[in-house]
Amino acid sequence: MQMPTGKWWKEAAVYQVYPASFKDSNGDGLGDIGGLISKIDYLHDLGVDVVWLCPMFDSPQHDMGYDISNYEKVYEPYGTVEDIDILVKACHDRGMRFILDLVVNHTSDEHEWFKESRSSRDNPKRDWYFWKPARYDDAGNRIPPTNWRSYFAGSTWTWDETTQEYYLHLYATQQPDLNWNCEAARNAIYDSAMRFWLDRGVDGFRVDTVNKYSKPLEFHDAIITDPNHYEQPAAYMFCNGPRIHEFVKEMHDKVISQYDCMTVGELSLTPDPDHVLRYVSASAKQLDMVFHIDTGNMDHGGPKDKYDHRPFILPELKAAITKWQKFIEGTDGWTTAFLENHDNGRSIDRYASSEPEFREISAKMLAIMMTTMTGTIFIYQGQEIGMINAPKEWPIEEYKDIEALNYYNEARALSISGEDPSRLPIVTRGLQILGRDHGRMPMQWDSTAHSGFTTGDKPWMRVHDLYPEINVAKQVPDEKSVLSFWKRMLRLRKEYRDLLVYGIFDLLDPGNEKTFVYTKTGERRAALVALNFDQGVQDFEVSTDKEWKLVLSNYDAPVAGKLAPFEGRVYMSAN
């Protein structure tokens, strides 16, 4: 089949696959490449244009593959490089594309580059990573070079006995940060992490932590906002550093520009649309688009207490979505639409209701919102069948994520010591809603043992208790299922791509705390979208400025003048 040409990624529906949890093909309890290959037709039937596979590279798996020990090998339980070749061909044969995660802010501490770097202070690869001498407090105790707090709790610095210096890691101790100031390191990244895969037919990358490559080399302490701890939130100091745009542009010019491929960056702490345009403007030649993390993190407590859950307020969500829908107007930039990924809890629990009477209708309402947004749409595995968070009754022992466990253990220690007894229940509650593990549970394929994810005795992570009710096999033949609704919405999006993919977004009634109403305007027609984010019935009157025709609702019998609980509607009108 002939592959599409041009800016194919603008109109694409991208489906994110978490390899450990998608499908196990050999019964060892862990998802793998063979399992994904076996489900390519399922994704094609769904309406997917691009398959994005999270890290499957060789790794000790401290952070589920985001700690890479060899960019040119596949983690053995997942398969081989040749399996990826088969997967790429399977996608291309169906007119689909295939992209990988590009994780080059850091490597594993087991990568050969880092092993050389830590072997001696005069090793040629010493400056491929960040090494700093110790500081000492007034009592003569050794302390880290800065007071920066890691994303995974604790310090961003770890003492290395071999060379008697600290190395920097924004994430886990086992994830040392690469020094992008070193040209030799950058060139090695381009060859090993990028060209190696692009030359095998991979169609691009989701670029992990893209705005953290450039660190301020002065390494000043962060402002003290938490006087009870040495480590302080410091992300504002290492996001969008002094050379970041130089580095991202060089990556584009030296590598990306040589291939017909796409890039989507993970962009945190960049609230200024003008600054985001510096990354995604076509003329800037850096990235094709980015994920605006502030939308997905609005119910998080913040850098200090990430898991201090703050229920989202609809006007705030509307404002954030509007901001990133509107910022590309009149520019050569592009945007994205997403609600779920591997780093967040499920959207039904966060933005709607997972109660049995509302679960399916909530999933369909959110699908309407997602598929009517301007930009490239990203769907996370299980979102299309309405998967939800783990039951709140699950104990912490069921959680696997290094970040979750670090936060929990830190809070538990503070509680036991009496230093902060309130922290543990706050973090526990936050993990029940926001934890990364909710999106990492095994995919629910059918109602057989372990949801059909594996034929083995035990999956690597517990399957959701409700898998007999929420699974693919049950939904495929049901025309009213969440899965069937997603298929319908993706077809509608393609049919009206001029309007739903490219149209101009305008928010109506921004202060309404129950409903989210907006228009999409194209050259030949317009759409009106009305969404009820509440479990109560809401009054709603269609504007009379156009002859609006109802083309879709997630209810069988919509009532004029009213929006039912979690109802969503799409109206169309000629301009």
Side-chain angles (χ1 to χ4, degrees):
M1 180 179 292
Q2 185 175 358
M3 295 294 294
T5 57
K7 303 301 184 187
W8 49 268
W9 39 266
K10 287 190 174 183
E11 299 176 7
V14 185
Y15 187 98
Q16 181 184 359
V17 172
Y18 199 69
S21 299
F22 192 63
K23 176 64 178 174
D24 172 22
S25 68
N26 59 11
D28 66 355
L30 191 70
D32 48 42
I33 310 303
L36 174 53
I37 293 170
S38 74
K39 295 297 183 180
I40 287 298
D41 283 331
Y42 164 78
L43 298 180
H44 185 253
D45 291 343
L46 174 61
V48 168
D49 303 296
V50 179
V51 177
W52 154 24
L53 182 62
C54 286
M56 77 306 158
F57 312 98
D58 203 15
S59 166
Q61 299 291 320
H62 292 289
D63 185 23
M64 293 303 297
Y66 283 89
D67 50 322
I68 298 169
S69 54
N70 190 331
Y71 290 106
E72 299 174 29
K73 288 183 63 179
V74 173
Y75 180 51
E76 188 172 347
Y78 288 161
T80 65
V81 171
E82 289 70 30
D83 289 331
I84 295 294
D85 292 341
I86 295 170
L87 177 56
V88 170
K89 185 178 186 302
C91 289
H92 288 178
D93 285 349
R94 291 160 177 81
M96 302 160 68
R97 304 272 187 162
F98 178 77
I99 68 171
L100 293 173
D101 245 284
L102 180 63
V103 186
V104 290
N105 174 72
H106 47 263
T107 67
S108 165
D109 60 354
E110 295 184 26
H111 197 293
E112 288 301 322
W113 298 347
F114 186 72
K115 288 180 180 180
E116 289 189 47
S117 184
R118 80 187 313 175
S119 65
S120 68
R121 292 195 186 188
D122 58 0
N123 185 276
K125 289 186 173 62
R126 183 65 171 182
D127 65 347
W128 285 34
Y129 297 83
F130 292 97
W131 295 93
K132 298 287 286 183
R135 296 192 300 180
Y136 295 87
D137 63 18
D138 294 340
N141 299 306
R142 187 184 71 217
I143 59 175
T146 69
N147 64 352
W148 297 357
R149 177 178 170 84
S150 164
Y151 280 107
F152 289 172
S155 176
T156 58
W157 298 94
T158 290
W159 178 253
D160 185 67
E161 288 291 343
T162 302
T163 57
Q164 296 289 293
E165 284 192 320
Y166 284 92
Y167 65 85
L168 177 70
H169 54 89
L170 301 186
Y171 294 89
T173 300
Q174 300 89 352
Q175 293 170 292
D177 276 48
L178 284 157
N179 180 7
W180 275 69
N181 297 285
C182 175
E183 184 177 8
R186 298 200 305 274
N187 287 332
I189 289 167
Y190 301 153
D191 282 339
S192 187
M194 300 179 73
R195 293 190 184 98
F196 178 85
W197 294 105
L198 291 168
D199 287 342
R200 303 187 83 92
V202 168
D203 299 297
F205 301 101
R206 175 264 187 179
V207 189
D208 186 64
T209 63
V210 71
N211 61 333
K212 297 182 175 68
Y213 302 161
S214 175
K215 278 74 173 180
L217 299 183
E218 302 84 359
F219 288 104
H220 294 308
D221 275 345
I223 298 170
I224 296 176
T225 57
D226 182 7
N228 295 323
H229 297 88
Y230 174 74
E231 295 88 5
Q232 301 295 314
Y236 67 94
M237 300 192 74
F238 44 71
C239 287
N240 303 310
R243 298 183 66 186
I244 188 61
H245 291 285
E246 173 192 342
F247 293 154
V248 178
K249 188 174 189 319
E250 181 185 85
M251 178 196 296
H252 174 276
D253 292 349
K254 285 191 172 183
V255 184
I256 296 300
S257 65
Q258 309 303 310
Y259 301 84
D260 177 21
C261 63
M262 64 168 275
T263 54
V264 53
E266 179 190 27
L267 198 69
S268 60
L269 284 180
T270 314
D272 181 3
D274 288 338
H275 192 174
V276 176
L277 278 171
R278 294 178 63 189
Y279 286 100
V280 302
S281 166
S283 58
K285 294 181 171 53
Q286 295 187 30
L287 299 166
D288 293 324
M289 51 193 149
V290 297
F291 294 127
H292 312 286
I293 304 300
D294 58 347
T295 305
N297 290 349
M298 64 170 32
D299 54 350
H300 289 250
K304 175 187 172 184
D305 292 303
K306 175 179 179 179
Y307 291 110
D308 184 357
H309 177 248
R310 182 177 68 89
F312 91 100
I313 300 170
L314 185 57
E316 291 183 1
L317 178 66
K318 292 192 286 189
I321 290 175
T322 301
K323 176 181 179 179
W324 299 119
Q325 285 283 286
K326 300 289 287 181
F327 90 109
I328 60 170
E329 287 182 16
T331 76
D332 61 350
W334 194 239
T335 193
T336 57
F338 72 100
L339 272 185
E340 294 191 10
N341 58 36
H342 64 292
D343 281 336
N344 286 295
R346 291 290 183 175
S347 57
I348 295 173
D349 292 86
R350 296 175 67 195
Y351 303 115
S353 174
S354 60
E355 294 299 319
E357 66 268 36
F358 298 126
R359 187 176 66 225
E360 290 189 8
I361 209 70
S362 291
K364 294 175 183 178
M365 184 270 287
L366 294 173
I368 291 173
M369 182 177 76
M370 288 300 301
T371 52
T372 55
M373 291 288 168
T374 295
T376 302
I377 185 173
F378 290 79
I379 307 158
Y380 183 67
Q381 67 180 45
Q383 187 176 359
E384 79 278 12
I385 61 170
M387 284 181 65
I388 58 176
N389 279 356
K392 292 181 172 57
E393 296 75 26
W394 280 18
I396 191 65
E397 288 75 21
E398 299 291 354
Y399 288 70
K400 306 294 184 183
D401 175 38
I402 184 174
E403 180 183 72
L405 296 177
N406 281 0
Y407 268 85
Y408 180 87
N409 291 331
E410 179 186 62
R412 185 172 181 271
L414 291 171
S415 179
I416 292 173
S417 69
E419 186 176 344
D420 189 353
S422 67
R423 191 76 168 270
L424 185 58
I426 288 173
V427 170
T428 300
R429 171 63 176 162
L431 289 173
Q432 291 172 342
I433 301 171
L434 306 171
R436 304 198 302 178
D437 285 295
H438 297 299
R440 303 178 179 192
M441 290 183 291
M443 181 69 177
Q444 293 155 210
W445 291 106
D446 57 41
S447 58
T448 63
H450 310 310
S451 74
F453 163 72
T454 180
T455 58
D457 295 333
K458 186 178 181 181
W460 78 277
M461 185 179 184
R462 181 174 172 178
V463 177
H464 199 289
D465 298 351
L466 293 182
Y467 78 84
E469 298 178 31
I470 308 172
N471 65 70
V472 172
K474 184 178 180 180
Q475 294 189 26
V476 167
D478 182 359
E479 293 182 356
K480 295 184 178 181
S481 69
V482 174
L483 177 60
S484 295
F485 193 83
W486 262 101
K487 291 180 181 180
R488 180 183 177 188
M489 290 305 305
L490 289 172
R491 288 195 301 268
L492 186 77
R493 181 174 175 84
K494 286 180 169 60
E495 180 181 356
Y496 295 99
R497 67 188 68 191
D498 60 314
L499 183 60
L500 300 183
V501 176
Y502 296 102
I504 295 175
F505 174 101
D506 285 298
L507 176 66
L508 305 178
D509 197 9
N512 194 307
E513 297 184 355
K514 306 292 185 180
T515 61
F516 185 3
V517 183
Y518 53 91
T519 59
K520 297 294 294 295
T521 307
E523 292 183 0
R524 295 173 293 146
R525 52 194 161 209
L528 174 68
V529 182
L531 309 167
N532 181 6
F533 272 76
D534 191 72
Q535 62 184 26
V537 176
Q538 302 300 318
D539 293 332
F540 171 71
E541 295 293 340
V542 180
S543 63
T544 58
D545 61 328
K546 298 180 186 297
E547 293 184 7
W548 296 108
K549 177 184 178 182
L550 180 63
V551 297
L552 182 139
S553 170
N554 56 344
Y555 275 76
D556 291 335
V559 177
K562 303 289 183 181
L563 285 175
F566 300 107
E567 183 177 4
R569 297 182 190 175
V570 179
Y571 297 83
M572 292 282 184
S573 173
N575 275 352

